[in-house]
Amino acid sequence: MAEKAKLYYFDGRGLMESIRWLLTVAGVEFEEVFLKTREQYEQLLKDGALMFQQVPLVEIDGMKLIQTRAILNYIAAKYNLYGKDLKERAMIDMYVEGIRDLMDLLIKHPFLPPAEKDSNTKLIQTKAVDRFFPVYEQALAQSGGGYLVGGQLSKADVQVFEVVLMVEEKLPSILSGFPQLQAFQSRMRNVPAIQKFLQPGSQRKAQPDDNYVKTVMEVLRF
């Protein structure tokens, strides 16, 4: 039996949540080490585990991987979630990089001053409705196979689904004008691994709270 992957990050979503999602869909078990103190972070630095002095860090297949995109690409390539050829991989990358722009707004939201949160939520809504969701709506309508690329599940589907759920947490009716995305969301919810991950008690993390923000800021000192 393969060793479990080991994830080093905070007890919250942040940059690690997409990795948790993809490992789950790939069927890879993982354990987590939650950074709660500055001393834990400094020990990782001292051990040379953080190439660019940053987390997330994932130990998998005898490697210590950092940089979120590199980690996601490795998992996707190994577990057949990265298309059948280079052309499909390029399309997957484009869809992922697009949704990443929206994800960045969501990840920074808990760290914003209270006075800026309403305007950031409006920006998320505008970009989702006017820029990003129409692209995925059209791609799903044209794909004919229920998934974004090549008629099979890929990391693009997983990350788009993840972000749509996060946007819905702030804007519950955001998909009202996007029937293809609504159908896509229903299909994704029926993927057995995702069904399990969405249940209470899974390794999926809740929305960031003040304690998560405080811990991140204290450990990283920003």
Side-chain angles (χ1 to χ4, degrees):
M1 183 176 178
E3 289 188 14
K4 291 182 179 180
K6 194 168 187 178
L7 282 51
Y8 295 80
Y9 200 67
F10 307 97
D11 188 7
R13 291 179 180 175
L15 296 171
M16 185 66 87
E17 191 71 354
S18 293
I19 296 168
R20 297 184 185 107
W21 271 97
L22 202 60
L23 285 170
T24 296
V25 172
V28 180
E29 293 186 355
F30 60 88
E31 59 187 38
E32 301 192 70
V33 176
F34 296 128
L35 302 182
K36 299 178 180 179
T37 66
R38 177 72 181 182
E39 288 71 28
Q40 285 177 288
Y41 172 70
E42 288 178 344
Q43 187 62 52
L44 289 173
L45 293 175
K46 183 178 178 181
D47 293 343
L50 304 179
M51 184 183 294
F52 299 114
Q53 303 177 26
Q54 296 170 317
V55 289
L57 165 66
V58 174
E59 292 183 354
I60 187 171
D61 295 340
M63 299 183 293
K64 296 181 186 293
L65 300 181
I66 62 159
Q67 295 295 327
T68 306
R69 289 176 176 82
I71 296 166
L72 291 169
N73 289 346
Y74 178 81
I75 297 165
K78 180 172 180 179
Y79 294 100
N80 196 30
L81 295 166
Y82 212 172
K84 297 185 290 290
D85 54 38
L86 284 174
K87 289 184 178 180
E88 287 191 1
R89 183 170 293 192
M91 292 302 302
I92 289 167
D93 284 340
M94 286 196 292
Y95 288 140
V96 167
E97 291 304 310
I99 207 67
R100 189 78 225 171
D101 290 343
L102 194 54
M103 172 75 86
D104 288 343
L105 294 175
L106 291 158
I107 288 176
K108 80 173 186 179
H109 189 84
F111 297 91
L112 294 174
E116 296 180 19
K117 288 189 175 181
D118 283 348
S119 61
N120 192 60
T121 299
K122 290 176 182 176
L123 182 60
I124 290 168
Q125 181 176 14
T126 298
K127 289 201 170 188
V129 172
D130 295 345
R131 181 181 298 182
F132 297 111
F133 286 4
V135 172
Y136 303 113
E137 182 77 4
Q138 182 179 10
L140 289 165
Q142 293 175 346
S143 70
Y147 297 111
L148 286 166
V149 179
Q152 67 180 36
L153 185 65
S154 75
K155 72 167 184 168
D157 300 295
V158 179
Q159 290 193 247
V160 169
F161 179 64
E162 177 195 358
V163 172
V164 167
L165 291 181
M166 291 173 68
V167 175
E168 279 190 314
E169 288 173 340
K170 299 187 179 305
L171 302 158
S173 63
I174 192 75
L175 289 186
S176 60
F178 300 98
Q180 293 289 340
L181 276 170
Q182 291 178 46
F184 168 77
Q185 188 181 56
S186 296
R187 286 192 298 274
M188 292 295 287
R189 284 182 180 276
N190 287 324
V191 174
I194 290 176
Q195 268 188 334
K196 187 176 180 180
F197 196 57
L198 291 173
Q199 295 302 310
S202 77
Q203 290 172 291
R204 184 187 181 210
K205 301 299 179 277
Q207 294 188 63
D209 57 16
D210 290 342
N211 185 59
Y212 166 77
V213 171
K214 180 182 178 184
T215 300
V216 172
M217 296 184 75
E218 287 179 349
V219 171
L220 299 182
R221 292 184 179 171
F222 69 83

